[in-house]
Amino acid sequence: MAVKIFFPTCCSAAESGLLIGRWISEHRSAVVLAMLHVPFIPGQVKQYLAHLQQSTGLSLSVLGSWSHKKAEKDEKIESFLYDLSSIFSHRPWLRLSREASSKFWDCSIERCDGGDQEEVVLVYYDERKLMLSELHSVTENSEIASVFATVAKCRPLFAKHKYDEGPIKLTHWQSDGVEASIIVELIKQFSVPLCAVLSFLVSVLTSLRTLRVLGGKPLSFVWNKLSTSEQLGKRLENIGLVSSTERAKDHKEFMRKANTVVSILLDMALGVLLMSWLYRENQISQLADTLMPVADRVAVELQELLQWLMGAPAGLKMNGALDEVLGRFYMYHIHLWTSYIRLMSPFIEVILWYIGLSACLGLSIALSILSDIIALLTFHIPVYCFYVYGARLYCFKMHGLSSLWRLFRGKKWNVLRHRVDSCSYDLDQLFLGTLLFTVLLFLLPTTALYYLVFTLLRLLVVLVQGLIQLIVNLLNTLPLYTVVLRLCRPHRLVICFLAGVKFRMLEQKTGKSLRLLMQINPLPYNGVLQSYMLPSNQCYPKDSWGSLCRKLFIGELIYPWRQKGNKQD
């Protein structure tokens, strides 16, 4: 069985010394962590290793010697290191050496239990990437898992700088972020009272939402249908998660908090930018002055559309009486809508001003308010009323035709058992059914045409609201912190052992050790989005295309919202 030696690439240029690391006997592997340089006292080295074993919980020891031959005087140091093998009686004893002109190192093993001659596989690894990666968080009894766990638990060893004064001189990976760590600690100290204040405010607002006055039947129905209320609840939940004083239990929970913080900050930054644009150069007044001509133009276009439908649209022969009734009925609703718009016109600028002011809470809040305003405006206009009237009338005729069609075939719908059963009808029932079927069939084209036209208009409004909610959902669920981390430090996002590590062959020659380079294989971007996407409280219907076409064909209403807890059709 071959002996595998994991050697850090940061120590390849170190001076001659001893190898500090861990021997994993069950896998016959040696993990080199640092280089110990001369001069030193063996007793102090043993005390230092005993202190590291207590702080890390690992059996660290002197694994062997490292000889970097740059000059002739290094031969004396090499002989000195050879004599130290009797003091540090580790089995096996590793001897690594490198000539000044050589690219790779030579390795030999002494005092090995498996015999005098052992095959050696030298694996180079980056200590920094293994230290910062999350691969060690997975509990798995494998050789790679043991290597990652060894490097991850040796933070006290890496805290000692190679330039620190003391009897022990080490070379290993050392983070260069002392000033940054001080700033981080100051931010942590400042965030404690801030999180306490935020937690108190969230608890107060949550208790206000649960009052019986606000939880009554009319108000609860309205709150469940408003996108603004849903988004405010989502933001309260996010602030409560961020301001929690509990420490993150695992990597997933930490990344969720970090992504939530970045999502809130980005949302508020975009909202402030929107607010600054609205209040610059009197943009709100210009928008308010533009809305009235647009509303009048929409009313004129709808009247022209109804007049076209009341005639002979596309040369189709319509039922004159039903066409006249439907046209006048819809014309009256257009008159009501124009009167409603005229009544609201003095308050449009004030409403837009408050919408712009609400953007300081975040772009998602402003977009949710915009979606609710579109829903309220289109509730009174024919785009919604016409669709509901036409859909109900069309659905009534479709259900009537389907029931009468079963009558001709001698069948009926069993309401109790929810199935179609056989049934015998007399002559009067068949005659009356034939008469009703004929009337409904000849009136169906007129109703279907009105239903088709206003369904298309309704779907256009639903599409606009859907795009707004899609942007809000992206702001709430997109893991921006993780995406940036994947772009800047991809080695931090490694979870799976099978796909998280890859090996590249550096040299393979007969009679020499096999040399490999262990590299971190980070998660792809689609895996990052799937693994770290924030939870969404989206309660909108997610019907399939087949279900949507079926609803449109039989005349069922297509709502842009669905109450929480409702089952999908």
Side-chain angles (χ1 to χ4, degrees):
M1 185 176 181
V3 176
K4 291 173 282 297
I5 302 174
F6 293 87
F7 193 87
T9 55
C10 59
C11 297
S12 58
E15 300 294 334
S16 300
L18 297 179
L19 303 176
I20 304 296
R22 177 193 177 193
W23 172 256
I24 307 175
S25 58
E26 59 268 21
H27 300 293
R28 294 185 61 80
S29 302
V31 183
V32 179
L33 299 172
M35 308 296 297
L36 177 64
H37 304 298
V38 293
F40 56 84
I41 301 176
Q44 294 178 344
V45 174
K46 292 182 179 180
Q47 292 179 0
Y48 180 70
L49 291 178
H51 174 70
L52 285 179
Q53 289 179 3
Q54 293 179 358
S55 58
T56 61
L58 300 175
S59 58
L60 302 180
S61 59
V62 178
L63 300 178
S65 63
W66 155 255
S67 178
H68 195 177
K69 300 178 182 179
K70 295 182 179 179
E72 296 180 355
K73 63 178 181 180
D74 293 337
E75 297 180 358
K76 298 180 180 179
I77 298 178
E78 185 177 1
S79 61
F80 172 70
L81 295 176
Y82 180 78
D83 296 336
L84 289 175
S85 61
S86 59
I87 300 177
F88 301 100
S89 57
H90 183 272
R91 305 180 66 90
W93 182 262
L94 309 179
R95 293 181 61 86
L96 297 178
S97 62
R98 177 182 177 184
E99 299 289 343
S101 59
S102 177
K103 182 178 180 181
F104 297 103
W105 314 324
D106 294 330
C107 180
S108 60
I109 301 177
E110 300 177 358
R111 300 200 300 263
C112 187
D113 297 334
D116 296 334
Q117 295 182 354
E118 290 283 348
E119 295 183 1
V120 179
V121 178
L122 196 58
V123 182
Y124 304 105
Y125 72 94
D126 192 337
E127 243 176 359
R128 172 178 174 271
K129 292 183 178 181
L130 265 68
M131 183 71 182
L132 299 177
S133 65
E134 296 297 332
L135 192 60
H136 58 272
S137 62
V138 183
T139 58
E140 184 177 335
N141 188 16
S142 64
E143 182 178 10
I144 301 299
S146 301
V147 173
F148 273 82
T150 301
V151 179
K153 293 179 180 179
C154 290
R155 293 183 181 271
L157 173 65
F158 300 141
K160 183 177 177 58
H161 201 276
K162 63 181 180 180
Y163 298 111
D164 291 342
E165 296 182 358
I168 304 298
K169 300 291 185 179
L170 297 175
T171 296
H172 50 71
W173 169 75
Q174 177 65 35
S175 176
D176 299 328
V178 179
E179 294 82 1
S181 63
I182 295 175
I183 296 175
V184 170
E185 291 298 327
L186 292 176
I187 293 175
K188 289 180 180 179
Q189 295 295 330
F190 176 74
S191 63
V192 173
L194 180 62
C195 290
V197 174
L198 290 177
S199 299
F200 176 74
L201 293 177
V202 169
S203 62
V204 171
L205 293 176
T206 305
S207 61
L208 290 176
R209 289 184 62 191
T210 57
L211 290 177
R212 296 183 61 182
V213 178
L214 299 177
K217 190 63 176 177
L219 290 178
S220 63
F221 178 80
V222 174
W223 294 130
N224 288 332
K225 298 301 181 288
L226 290 179
S227 301
T228 307
S229 174
E230 179 185 351
Q231 184 59 27
L232 286 175
K234 177 68 175 179
R235 279 293 173 243
L236 284 177
E237 181 184 350
N238 292 339
I239 294 175
L241 174 66
V242 172
S243 60
S244 176
T245 56
E246 296 182 1
R247 188 181 181 89
K249 299 179 181 179
D250 52 5
H251 170 72
K252 285 283 187 179
E253 186 175 353
F254 171 77
M255 297 302 291
R256 181 184 176 185
K257 285 188 176 183
N259 287 320
T260 304
V261 171
V262 175
S263 175
I264 294 175
L265 294 178
L266 179 64
D267 189 19
M268 296 184 66
L270 294 177
V272 171
L273 290 177
L274 176 63
M275 185 175 61
S276 63
W277 177 79
L278 288 175
Y279 288 99
R280 187 178 65 248
E281 299 178 359
N282 203 14
Q283 294 286 348
I284 294 181
S285 299
Q286 296 178 8
L287 289 175
D289 296 337
T290 307
L291 287 179
M292 287 306 301
V294 171
D296 294 337
R297 183 61 182 173
V298 171
V300 172
E301 292 291 340
L302 288 174
Q303 288 177 353
E304 293 178 357
L305 178 62
L306 286 175
Q307 291 175 359
W308 179 71
L309 291 175
M310 292 171 65
L316 298 176
K317 181 63 176 178
M318 311 291 290
N319 185 277
L322 181 60
D323 195 7
E324 185 73 18
V325 170
L326 292 177
R328 290 183 177 275
F329 178 73
Y330 291 147
M331 282 290 189
Y332 175 71
H333 277 76
I334 293 178
H335 175 70
L336 291 179
W337 176 61
T338 53
S339 302
Y340 166 74
I341 293 297
R342 295 293 181 182
L343 183 65
M344 293 294 296
S345 58
F347 307 101
I348 290 180
E349 185 174 354
V350 179
I351 294 174
L352 291 177
W353 191 86
Y354 281 109
I355 293 176
L357 189 62
S358 66
C360 64
L361 299 176
L363 179 63
S364 60
I365 303 295
L367 291 177
S368 299
I369 295 176
L370 178 62
S371 177
D372 291 334
I373 289 178
I374 292 176
L376 292 176
L377 290 178
T378 56
F379 182 81
H380 293 81
I381 68 174
V383 172
Y384 184 74
C385 292
F386 288 6
Y387 166 70
V388 173
Y389 300 150
R392 290 303 186 190
L393 185 59
Y394 176 78
C395 184
F396 168 74
K397 289 188 176 182
M398 290 297 294
H399 281 290
L401 289 173
S402 62
S403 299
L404 294 173
W405 177 250
R406 286 194 293 267
L407 182 143
F408 296 149
R409 296 184 297 154
K411 298 180 180 297
K412 70 173 183 179
W413 175 255
N414 192 331
V415 182
L416 298 178
R417 298 182 178 273
H418 298 283
R419 67 183 185 186
V420 177
D421 295 335
S422 300
C423 182
S424 60
Y425 299 95
D426 55 15
L427 185 59
D428 295 337
Q429 291 175 334
L430 291 175
F431 175 75
L432 183 60
T434 303
L435 183 62
L436 292 176
F437 183 82
T438 304
V439 172
L440 292 178
L441 183 62
F442 281 100
L443 293 179
L444 181 63
T446 304
T447 308
L449 182 61
Y450 277 87
Y451 168 71
L452 176 62
V453 171
F454 293 113
T455 298
L456 294 177
L457 293 178
R458 180 59 188 164
L459 290 178
L460 180 62
V461 176
V462 172
L463 179 62
V464 174
Q465 289 183 287
L467 291 177
I468 294 175
Q469 293 300 324
L470 179 61
I471 297 174
V472 173
N473 193 34
L474 286 177
L475 290 174
N476 290 333
T477 61
L478 194 64
L480 298 175
Y481 174 79
T482 311
V483 172
V484 174
L485 194 64
R486 172 63 177 83
L487 182 63
C488 300
R489 291 187 175 183
H491 55 273
R492 292 290 302 273
L493 302 176
V494 185
I495 302 297
C496 180
F497 276 102
L498 297 178
V501 175
K502 60 182 179 181
F503 294 90
R504 183 167 64 90
M505 183 179 297
L506 298 178
E507 186 185 38
Q508 184 180 14
K509 293 183 179 180
T510 305
K512 290 189 176 182
S513 304
L514 175 64
R515 294 168 177 85
L516 303 175
L517 177 63
M518 186 171 67
Q519 296 176 336
I520 301 296
N521 190 22
L523 286 175
Y525 285 97
N526 57 350
V528 169
L529 294 178
Q530 293 176 3
S531 302
Y532 297 97
M533 186 71 73
L534 293 174
S536 173
N537 61 343
Q538 198 70 267
C539 57
Y540 292 85
K542 298 181 180 179
D543 296 323
S544 62
W545 287 105
S547 177
L548 181 62
C549 293
R550 184 188 66 84
K551 289 183 177 181
L552 292 175
F553 179 75
I554 64 178
E556 291 187 10
L557 295 181
I558 306 298
Y559 291 103
W561 37 254
R562 184 179 295 273
Q563 197 171 3
K564 290 183 180 179
N566 287 5
K567 295 180 179 180
Q568 300 292 334
D569 294 339

